[in-house]
Amino acid sequence: MSQTRRHLEHHPGINPAPFKATIESITDEGVILSDSWCYPKGGGQPGDTGIFQSDGEEFRFGEVSASSHILHPVSSGNLQVGQEVDCVIDVERRNALASMHSAAHILSATANERWGAITVGNQLGVTESRMDLKFENRDEFDANILQDDANHWVNKDAEIMIHEWGRKQIMTDDRVRNRRFVERIIDRIGGSDPRLRMVEIEGIDLCPCAGTHLSSTSPIGDITIGRVQNKGKGTFRIYFEI
Ligand SMILES: [Zn+2]
């Protein structure tokens, strides 16, 4: 059975509290805990890092990932199955990535709003992130306009909310962007009443997302667009900082 991704219950996804858990197994790839609130890398967002504390010892873990279970890569061999640990997530890194992630939503939505651009890829970083935007007519794109549009929504301090919605609610809401794509995600989940975690930024964005976010937009601070690279096929790769 796949492990529950507890980070999904956490909104805003900042300042994650330390938690206690028991080591369930240790594999070549990492430590699996009885329960984990760590964000596993995915969707362009890097995973959490942090420290296990146990009996006065500390064990740093690297970037958390997930397949069927959430893996915490630890190099030290002193941990034992059954051992209880305090897991302390690197808060500064998580908060920076939640801010970057929230900024990415705004950029993606405003580029779609103004030019009908579709976000076809993104990779977030603590200090710099990038996003690939595919345009119908790439010549219309102007990085300064995108930056101004995005900062308009930052300055509005729009609320960021999480919803658990079913197919009907999602597919009948005109604010949901790229609904054909969203429907494919719903189909993939399957079952009689699949639910999706929808992220809403009041007035500008509504889309499915499993990442970590702020509770409103103003703490993101100024979004600055840097390099813009031509990726061919109507696509630009834009780099941004906050
Ligand atoms: Zn998101």
Side-chain angles (χ1 to χ4, degrees):
M1 204 187 103
S2 78
Q3 207 173 14
T4 310
R5 301 192 180 194
R6 304 298 300 270
H7 83 268
L8 295 170
E9 300 164 28
H10 185 191
H11 180 71
I14 55 169
N15 302 321
F19 62 91
K20 283 187 193 301
T22 306
I23 294 180
E24 214 148 74
S25 65
I26 301 173
T27 73
D28 290 343
E29 294 160 290
V31 167
I32 296 166
L33 299 175
S34 52
D35 202 13
S36 179
W37 292 79
C38 293
Y39 180 79
K41 72 172 169 189
Q45 181 174 338
D48 283 331
T49 57
I51 292 170
F52 294 142
Q53 296 171 331
S54 184
D55 299 330
E57 279 194 275
E58 291 197 339
F59 307 87
R60 176 152 279 284
F61 59 89
E63 186 181 12
V64 172
S65 64
S67 48
S68 59
H69 287 83
I70 298 171
L71 287 165
H72 312 72
V74 181
S75 53
S76 167
N78 290 336
L79 291 162
Q80 307 288 331
V81 172
Q83 187 174 349
E84 193 185 65
V85 293
D86 288 305
C87 180
V88 183
I89 296 171
D90 187 339
V91 169
E92 240 176 76
R93 174 185 163 91
R94 162 71 81 85
N95 291 356
L97 290 167
S99 293
M100 276 290 192
H101 188 116
S102 304
H105 273 271
I106 294 176
L107 287 165
S108 176
T110 49
N112 181 257
E113 192 76 15
R114 190 171 280 277
W115 298 289
I118 303 288
T119 301
V120 293
N122 73 98
Q123 182 57 54
L124 305 178
V126 171
T127 57
E128 186 187 56
S129 300
R130 63 173 160 82
M131 171 176 290
D132 294 343
L133 294 171
K134 189 174 170 62
F135 296 84
E136 205 117 288
N137 179 5
R138 203 177 55 174
D139 297 338
E140 290 174 355
F141 174 67
D142 182 327
N144 290 320
I145 292 176
L146 178 59
Q147 183 174 298
D148 288 349
D149 281 358
N151 284 318
H152 164 81
W153 288 100
V154 169
N155 294 329
K156 268 185 102 108
D157 197 23
E159 192 182 350
I160 305 178
M161 295 160 273
I162 303 285
H163 311 292
E164 295 289 335
W165 281 359
R167 182 189 297 269
K168 193 173 172 203
Q169 188 157 13
I170 293 167
M171 296 311 293
T172 54
D173 193 319
D174 292 337
R175 298 171 303 162
V176 178
R177 293 179 191 280
N178 208 352
R179 265 180 289 175
R180 267 202 318 209
F181 168 75
V182 175
E183 183 148 55
R184 284 206 296 273
I185 299 176
I186 299 170
D187 288 342
R188 233 176 14 235
I189 299 171
S192 59
D193 182 24
R195 316 291 288 179
L196 261 190
R197 184 184 199 248
M198 300 294 289
V199 173
E200 177 179 1
I201 303 184
E202 199 180 7
I204 183 64
D205 197 23
L206 184 57
C207 66
C209 186
T212 63
H213 310 83
L214 305 180
S215 57
S216 71
T217 57
S218 79
I220 293 171
D222 266 351
I223 298 174
T224 309
I225 296 180
R227 289 165 292 156
V228 176
Q229 289 175 346
N230 181 352
K231 298 301 284 178
K233 294 180 187 163
T235 302
F236 278 134
R237 173 165 290 177
I238 64 155
Y239 289 82
F240 63 95
E241 293 179 17
I242 55 175

mmCIF file of all heavy atoms in Angstrom, residues 101 105 199 209 211 213, ligand 1:
data_model
loop_
_atom_site.group_PDB
_atom_site.id
_atom_site.type_symbol
_atom_site.label_atom_id
_atom_site.label_comp_id
_atom_site.label_asym_id
_atom_site.label_seq_id
_atom_site.Cartn_x
_atom_site.Cartn_y
_atom_site.Cartn_z
ATOM 1 N N HIS A 101 7.178 28.379 -5.482
ATOM 2 C CA HIS A 101 6.072 27.624 -6.075
ATOM 3 C C HIS A 101 4.845 28.530 -6.260
ATOM 4 O O HIS A 101 4.185 28.492 -7.299
ATOM 5 C CB HIS A 101 5.742 26.423 -5.187
ATOM 6 C CG HIS A 101 4.767 25.492 -5.797
ATOM 7 N ND1 HIS A 101 5.071 24.201 -6.128
ATOM 8 C CD2 HIS A 101 3.492 25.679 -6.179
ATOM 9 C CE1 HIS A 101 4.021 23.635 -6.679
ATOM 10 N NE2 HIS A 101 3.039 24.518 -6.713
ATOM 11 N N HIS A 105 2.917 29.702 -9.874
ATOM 12 C CA HIS A 105 1.480 29.688 -10.213
ATOM 13 C C HIS A 105 1.071 31.016 -10.853
ATOM 14 O O HIS A 105 0.338 31.038 -11.839
ATOM 15 C CB HIS A 105 0.632 29.497 -8.955
ATOM 16 C CG HIS A 105 0.407 28.073 -8.576
ATOM 17 N ND1 HIS A 105 -0.650 27.337 -9.049
ATOM 18 C CD2 HIS A 105 1.099 27.252 -7.758
ATOM 19 C CE1 HIS A 105 -0.600 26.119 -8.531
ATOM 20 N NE2 HIS A 105 0.450 26.035 -7.741
ATOM 21 N N VAL A 199 -5.649 24.051 -6.202
ATOM 22 C CA VAL A 199 -5.081 25.250 -5.589
ATOM 23 C C VAL A 199 -5.694 26.459 -6.261
ATOM 24 O O VAL A 199 -5.717 26.550 -7.493
ATOM 25 C CB VAL A 199 -3.545 25.264 -5.739
ATOM 26 C CG1 VAL A 199 -2.965 26.580 -5.266
ATOM 27 C CG2 VAL A 199 -2.950 24.103 -4.962
ATOM 28 N N CYS A 209 -2.863 20.738 -7.954
ATOM 29 C CA CYS A 209 -1.467 20.847 -7.530
ATOM 30 C C CYS A 209 -1.258 20.143 -6.196
ATOM 31 O O CYS A 209 -2.092 20.241 -5.307
ATOM 32 C CB CYS A 209 -1.054 22.313 -7.409
ATOM 33 S SG CYS A 209 0.700 22.492 -7.070
ATOM 34 N N GLY A 211 1.756 20.594 -4.548
ATOM 35 C CA GLY A 211 2.944 21.241 -3.977
ATOM 36 C C GLY A 211 2.654 21.977 -2.680
ATOM 37 O O GLY A 211 1.579 21.842 -2.087
ATOM 38 N N HIS A 213 2.509 25.757 -0.698
ATOM 39 C CA HIS A 213 2.189 27.139 -1.072
ATOM 40 C C HIS A 213 2.119 28.036 0.152
ATOM 41 O O HIS A 213 1.952 27.558 1.272
ATOM 42 C CB HIS A 213 0.824 27.196 -1.777
ATOM 43 C CG HIS A 213 0.677 26.204 -2.887
ATOM 44 N ND1 HIS A 213 0.319 24.900 -2.667
ATOM 45 C CD2 HIS A 213 0.850 26.322 -4.221
ATOM 46 C CE1 HIS A 213 0.283 24.248 -3.824
ATOM 47 N NE2 HIS A 213 0.607 25.078 -4.781
HETATM 48 ZN ZN ZN B 1 1.059 24.532 -6.616
#
